[in-house]
Amino acid sequence: AVQLVESGGGLVQPKESLKISCAASGFTFSNAAMYWVRQAPGKGLEWVARIRTKPNNYATYYADSVKGRFTISRDDSKSMVYLQMDNLKTEDTAMYYCTAMGDWGQGVMVTVSS
Amino acid sequence: DIQMTQSPSFLSASVGDRVTINCKASQNINKYLNWYQQKLGEAPKRLIYNTNNLQTGIPSRFSGSGSGTDYTLTISSLQPEDFATYFCLQHNSLYTFGAGTKLELK
């Protein structure tokens, strides 16, 4: 069965950095584009970032709200996808989900507060 | 950027009812439209992909239709486990979710 397990969330102060991770299993990870989607408390879903596969040069795409601050990356040898979040803002507070759009992890909470 | 307008925001219905949820895109999204169900405290679950393709394991009472800018999720006969929040997602040009429809028991 497909499993996506996020880790690395927590409480940080504004302007700080945090890197969250997602461990994938149960499918051919290297063939799958991967995404991060977030959900602020009590709010809807917001797509954050996408990374394509090696044949597509690991191309990356970002929502305007995080462009220049967040970096998505992947390690196919470990079936891992990452989201490096820099210069965090209070409005980045959310549950962050790792997804291949069909399957989703359970999410990791990131709280940005002073 | 493509905007998605989802309606209604709230929907009260009874077990056995037929319900429809709509999403309207700000431009043609070429049927690149998915539907997700989310229950409180859980991750979203994909129900339908590319307008009308049922995800494996999803009951056949769920169906999707549409083209161009207008798309619909239909639940033919509501079951108790269907009371949840539903989101659409366009993936024709980057990704935009609808704001959600909370389906509640009348």
Side-chain angles (χ1 to χ4, degrees):
Chain A
V2 172
Q3 270 203 314
L4 296 166
V5 180
E6 301 93 339
S7 61
L11 172 64
V12 296
Q13 295 193 347
K15 301 185 180 181
E16 290 188 339
S17 297
L18 190 67
K19 187 174 185 177
I20 57 177
S21 304
C22 172
S25 60
F27 64 105
T28 306
F29 179 80
S30 60
N31 290 348
M34 296 299 297
Y35 307 77
W36 288 97
V37 172
R38 68 184 180 183
Q39 187 170 36
K43 301 297 184 182
L45 298 165
E46 180 188 18
W47 166 74
V48 172
R50 174 196 185 196
I51 186 165
R52 297 185 72 177
T53 58
K54 184 176 181 180
N56 294 292
N57 298 314
Y58 298 121
T60 58
Y61 308 84
Y62 299 93
D64 287 344
S65 58
V66 306
K67 201 173 294 181
R69 300 188 299 121
F70 289 13
T71 304
I72 187 172
S73 61
R74 63 190 297 161
D75 183 338
D76 289 347
S77 68
K78 296 180 180 178
S79 296
M80 296 288 294
V81 61
Y82 306 97
L83 188 67
Q84 174 69 44
M85 302 180 288
D86 298 322
N87 189 21
L88 281 159
K89 304 177 180 182
T90 54
E91 53 263 39
D92 295 319
T93 294
M95 183 72 78
Y96 284 74
Y97 294 101
C98 167
T99 176
M101 286 307 184
D103 298 286
W104 294 61
Q106 284 304 301
V108 63
M109 189 68 201
V110 173
T111 303
V112 184
S113 174
S114 54
Chain B
D1 293 4
I2 297 177
Q3 308 303 315
M4 299 299 296
T5 303
Q6 186 172 342
S7 61
S9 300
F10 298 92
L11 184 54
S12 292
S14 301
V15 173
D17 283 354
R18 177 185 179 91
V19 300
T20 60
I21 298 169
N22 301 293
C23 270
K24 186 175 183 67
S26 58
Q27 62 191 73
N28 182 5
I29 56 171
N30 297 301
K31 296 193 172 186
Y32 288 110
L33 190 286
N34 297 349
W35 290 99
Y36 295 84
Q37 177 195 67
Q38 187 178 30
K39 296 182 179 179
L40 197 62
E42 297 184 7
K45 178 196 300 184
R46 189 169 68 178
L47 305 174
I48 303 278
Y49 62 95
N50 295 344
T51 296
N52 57 8
N53 295 280
L54 195 66
Q55 185 74 21
T56 301
I58 300 301
S60 59
R61 64 181 179 273
F62 292 92
S63 64
S65 63
S67 63
T69 61
D70 295 294
Y71 298 84
T72 299
L73 172 70
T74 299
I75 310 173
S76 59
S77 179
L78 273 174
Q79 297 302 299
E81 60 269 28
D82 299 339
F83 292 95
T85 300
Y86 293 84
F87 295 94
C88 62
L89 167 70
Q90 73 79 19
H91 57 105
N92 179 70
S93 175
L94 294 182
Y95 308 89
T96 314
F97 287 93
T101 296
K102 187 172 184 179
L103 179 53
E104 299 177 324
L105 181 62
K106 186 183 288 184

Coordinates of all heavy atoms in Angstrom, one line a residue, chain B residues 32-72:
Chain B
Y32 N -9.4 18.9 -16.5 CA -8.4 18.5 -15.5 C -8.9 19.0 -14.2 O -8.4 19.9 -13.6 CB -7.0 19.2 -15.9 CG -6.3 18.6 -17.0 CD1 -6.2 19.2 -18.3 CD2 -5.8 17.3 -17.0 CE1 -5.6 18.7 -19.3 CE2 -5.2 16.7 -18.1 CZ -5.1 17.4 -19.3 OH -4.5 16.8 -20.3
L33 N -9.8 18.2 -13.7 CA -10.6 18.5 -12.5 C -10.7 17.3 -11.6 O -11.2 16.3 -12.1 CB -11.9 19.1 -12.8 CG -12.8 19.8 -11.8 CD1 -13.5 18.8 -10.8 CD2 -12.1 20.9 -11.0
N34 N -10.2 17.4 -10.4 CA -10.3 16.3 -9.4 C -11.3 16.7 -8.3 O -11.5 17.9 -8.0 CB -9.0 16.0 -8.8 CG -7.9 15.5 -9.8 OD1 -8.3 15.2 -10.9 ND2 -6.7 15.4 -9.3
W35 N -11.9 15.7 -7.6 CA -12.7 15.9 -6.4 C -12.1 15.2 -5.3 O -11.7 14.0 -5.4 CB -14.1 15.5 -6.7 CG -14.9 16.3 -7.7 CD1 -15.1 16.1 -9.0 CD2 -15.6 17.6 -7.3 NE1 -15.8 17.1 -9.5 CE2 -16.2 18.0 -8.5 CE3 -15.7 18.3 -6.2 CZ2 -16.9 19.2 -8.6 CZ3 -16.5 19.5 -6.3 CH2 -17.0 19.9 -7.5
Y36 N -12.1 15.8 -4.1 CA -11.6 15.3 -2.9 C -12.6 15.3 -1.8 O -13.4 16.3 -1.7 CB -10.3 16.0 -2.4 CG -9.2 15.9 -3.4 CD1 -9.1 16.7 -4.5 CD2 -8.2 14.9 -3.2 CE1 -8.0 16.6 -5.4 CE2 -7.1 14.8 -4.1 CZ -7.1 15.6 -5.2 OH -6.0 15.5 -6.1
Q37 N -12.6 14.4 -0.9 CA -13.4 14.4 0.3 C -12.4 14.5 1.5 O -11.4 13.8 1.6 CB -14.2 13.0 0.4 CG -15.0 12.9 1.7 CD -15.4 11.4 1.9 OE1 -14.6 10.5 2.1 NE2 -16.7 11.2 1.8
Q38 N -12.8 15.3 2.5 CA -12.0 15.4 3.7 C -12.9 15.4 4.9 O -13.8 16.1 5.0 CB -11.2 16.7 3.7 CG -10.2 16.8 4.9 CD -9.3 18.0 4.9 OE1 -9.8 19.1 4.4 NE2 -8.1 17.9 5.4
K39 N -12.6 14.5 5.8 CA -13.3 14.4 7.1 C -12.4 15.1 8.2 O -11.2 15.2 8.0 CB -13.5 12.9 7.4 CG -14.5 12.3 6.4 CD -14.8 10.8 6.8 CE -15.8 10.3 5.8 NZ -16.2 8.9 6.0
L40 N -13.1 15.5 9.2 CA -12.4 16.3 10.3 C -11.2 15.5 10.8 O -11.3 14.4 11.2 CB -13.4 16.6 11.4 CG -13.0 17.7 12.3 CD1 -12.9 19.0 11.6 CD2 -14.0 17.8 13.5
G41 N -10.1 16.2 10.8 CA -8.9 15.6 11.4 C -8.1 14.6 10.5 O -7.2 14.0 10.9
E42 N -8.6 14.5 9.2 CA -8.0 13.5 8.3 C -7.5 14.2 7.1 O -7.8 15.4 6.8 CB -9.1 12.5 7.9 CG -9.6 11.6 9.0 CD -10.5 10.6 8.5 OE1 -10.7 10.4 7.3 OE2 -11.1 9.9 9.4
A43 N -6.6 13.5 6.4 CA -6.1 14.0 5.1 C -7.2 13.9 4.0 O -8.1 13.1 4.1 CB -4.9 13.2 4.7
P44 N -7.1 14.7 3.0 CA -8.1 14.6 1.9 C -7.9 13.2 1.2 O -6.9 12.6 1.2 CB -7.7 15.7 1.0 CG -7.0 16.7 1.8 CD -6.2 15.9 2.8
K45 N -9.0 12.8 0.6 CA -9.1 11.5 -0.1 C -9.6 11.9 -1.5 O -10.6 12.5 -1.7 CB -10.0 10.5 0.5 CG -10.1 9.2 -0.2 CD -11.3 8.4 0.3 CE -11.3 8.0 1.7 NZ -12.4 7.2 2.1
R46 N -8.9 11.4 -2.6 CA -9.3 11.7 -3.9 C -10.5 10.7 -4.3 O -10.3 9.5 -4.1 CB -8.2 11.5 -4.9 CG -8.6 12.0 -6.3 CD -7.4 12.1 -7.2 NE -6.8 10.8 -7.6 CZ -5.8 10.7 -8.4 NH1 -5.2 11.7 -9.0 NH2 -5.3 9.4 -8.7
L47 N -11.5 11.3 -4.8 CA -12.7 10.5 -5.2 C -12.8 10.4 -6.7 O -13.1 9.3 -7.2 CB -14.0 11.3 -4.8 CG -14.2 11.6 -3.3 CD1 -15.4 12.5 -3.1 CD2 -14.2 10.4 -2.5
I48 N -12.5 11.4 -7.4 CA -12.7 11.5 -8.8 C -11.4 12.2 -9.4 O -11.0 13.2 -8.8 CB -13.9 12.3 -9.2 CG1 -15.2 11.8 -8.6 CG2 -14.0 12.5 -10.8 CD1 -15.8 10.6 -9.3
Y49 N -10.9 11.7 -10.5 CA -9.9 12.4 -11.2 C -10.2 12.7 -12.7 O -11.0 11.9 -13.3 CB -8.5 11.7 -11.1 CG -8.4 10.3 -11.7 CD1 -8.0 10.1 -13.0 CD2 -8.9 9.2 -11.0 CE1 -7.9 8.9 -13.5 CE2 -8.8 8.0 -11.5 CZ -8.3 7.8 -12.8 OH -8.3 6.5 -13.4
N50 N -9.7 13.8 -13.2 CA -10.0 14.2 -14.6 C -11.5 14.1 -14.9 O -11.9 13.4 -15.9 CB -9.1 13.4 -15.5 CG -7.6 13.6 -15.4 OD1 -7.2 14.6 -14.7 ND2 -6.8 12.7 -15.9
T51 N -12.2 14.8 -14.1 CA -13.7 15.0 -14.3 C -14.6 13.9 -13.9 O -15.5 14.0 -13.2 CB -14.0 15.5 -15.7 OG1 -13.3 16.8 -15.9 CG2 -15.5 15.6 -16.0
N52 N -14.3 12.7 -14.5 CA -15.3 11.6 -14.3 C -14.7 10.2 -14.1 O -15.4 9.2 -14.3 CB -16.2 11.6 -15.6 CG -15.4 11.4 -16.9 OD1 -14.2 11.2 -16.8 ND2 -16.0 11.6 -18.0
N53 N -13.4 10.2 -13.7 CA -12.8 8.9 -13.5 C -12.8 8.6 -12.0 O -12.2 9.3 -11.2 CB -11.4 8.9 -14.0 CG -11.3 9.0 -15.5 OD1 -11.5 8.1 -16.2 ND2 -11.1 10.3 -15.9
L54 N -13.5 7.5 -11.6 CA -13.6 7.1 -10.2 C -12.4 6.5 -9.7 O -11.8 5.6 -10.3 CB -14.8 6.1 -10.1 CG -15.4 5.9 -8.7 CD1 -16.0 7.1 -8.1 CD2 -16.4 4.7 -8.7
Q55 N -11.9 7.0 -8.6 CA -10.7 6.5 -7.9 C -11.0 5.0 -7.5 O -12.1 4.8 -7.0 CB -10.3 7.3 -6.7 CG -9.0 6.9 -6.0 CD -7.8 7.3 -6.8 OE1 -7.8 8.2 -7.6 NE2 -6.7 6.7 -6.4
T56 N -10.0 4.2 -7.6 CA -10.2 2.8 -7.1 C -10.6 2.7 -5.7 O -10.1 3.4 -4.8 CB -8.8 2.0 -7.3 OG1 -8.4 2.1 -8.6 CG2 -9.0 0.6 -6.8
G57 N -11.6 2.0 -5.4 CA -12.1 1.8 -4.1 C -13.2 2.8 -3.6 O -13.8 2.6 -2.6
I58 N -13.5 3.7 -4.5 CA -14.6 4.7 -4.2 C -15.9 4.2 -4.6 O -16.0 3.7 -5.8 CB -14.2 6.1 -4.8 CG1 -12.9 6.6 -4.3 CG2 -15.4 7.1 -4.5 CD1 -12.8 6.8 -2.8
P59 N -16.9 4.3 -3.8 CA -18.2 3.7 -4.2 C -18.8 4.4 -5.5 O -18.6 5.6 -5.7 CB -19.1 4.0 -3.0 CG -18.2 4.2 -1.9 CD -16.9 4.8 -2.4
S60 N -19.6 3.6 -6.2 CA -20.1 4.1 -7.5 C -21.2 5.2 -7.3 O -21.7 5.7 -8.3 CB -20.6 3.0 -8.3 OG -21.6 2.3 -7.6
R61 N -21.6 5.4 -6.1 CA -22.6 6.5 -5.9 C -22.0 7.9 -6.1 O -22.7 8.9 -6.3 CB -23.3 6.4 -4.5 CG -22.3 6.7 -3.3 CD -23.0 6.5 -2.0 NE -22.1 6.7 -0.8 CZ -21.5 5.7 -0.3 NH1 -21.6 4.5 -0.8 NH2 -20.7 6.0 0.8
F62 N -20.7 7.9 -6.1 CA -20.0 9.2 -6.5 C -19.7 9.2 -8.0 O -19.3 8.2 -8.6 CB -18.6 9.3 -5.8 CG -18.7 9.4 -4.3 CD1 -18.7 8.3 -3.5 CD2 -18.8 10.7 -3.7 CE1 -18.8 8.5 -2.1 CE2 -18.9 10.9 -2.3 CZ -18.9 9.7 -1.5
S63 N -20.0 10.3 -8.6 CA -19.7 10.5 -10.0 C -19.4 12.0 -10.3 O -19.8 12.9 -9.5 CB -20.9 10.0 -10.9 OG -22.1 10.9 -10.6
G64 N -18.7 12.2 -11.4 CA -18.3 13.5 -11.8 C -18.7 13.8 -13.2 O -18.7 12.8 -14.1
S65 N -18.9 15.0 -13.5 CA -19.2 15.4 -14.9 C -18.7 16.8 -15.2 O -18.4 17.6 -14.2 CB -20.7 15.3 -15.2 OG -21.4 16.1 -14.4
G66 N -18.8 17.2 -16.4 CA -18.5 18.6 -16.8 C -17.5 18.7 -17.9 O -17.0 17.7 -18.4
S67 N -17.3 20.0 -18.3 CA -16.4 20.3 -19.4 C -16.2 21.8 -19.4 O -16.9 22.5 -18.7 CB -16.9 19.8 -20.7 OG -18.1 20.5 -21.1
G68 N -15.1 22.2 -20.1 CA -14.9 23.7 -20.2 C -14.6 24.3 -18.8 O -13.6 24.0 -18.3
T69 N -15.5 25.1 -18.4 CA -15.3 25.8 -17.1 C -16.3 25.2 -16.0 O -16.1 25.6 -14.8 CB -15.6 27.3 -17.2 OG1 -17.0 27.5 -17.7 CG2 -14.7 27.9 -18.2
D70 N -17.2 24.4 -16.3 CA -18.2 24.0 -15.3 C -18.2 22.5 -15.0 O -18.3 21.6 -15.9 CB -19.6 24.4 -15.8 CG -19.7 25.9 -15.9 OD1 -19.7 26.5 -14.8 OD2 -19.8 26.4 -17.0
Y71 N -18.1 22.1 -13.7 CA -17.9 20.8 -13.3 C -18.8 20.5 -12.1 O -19.1 21.3 -11.3 CB -16.4 20.5 -12.9 CG -15.6 20.7 -14.2 CD1 -15.1 22.0 -14.5 CD2 -15.3 19.6 -15.0 CE1 -14.4 22.2 -15.7 CE2 -14.5 19.8 -16.1 CZ -14.1 21.1 -16.5 OH -13.4 21.3 -17.6
T72 N -19.2 19.2 -12.0 CA -20.2 18.8 -11.0 C -19.8 17.4 -10.3 O -19.4 16.5 -11.1 CB -21.6 18.6 -11.6 OG1 -22.0 19.9 -12.1 CG2 -22.6 18.2 -10.5

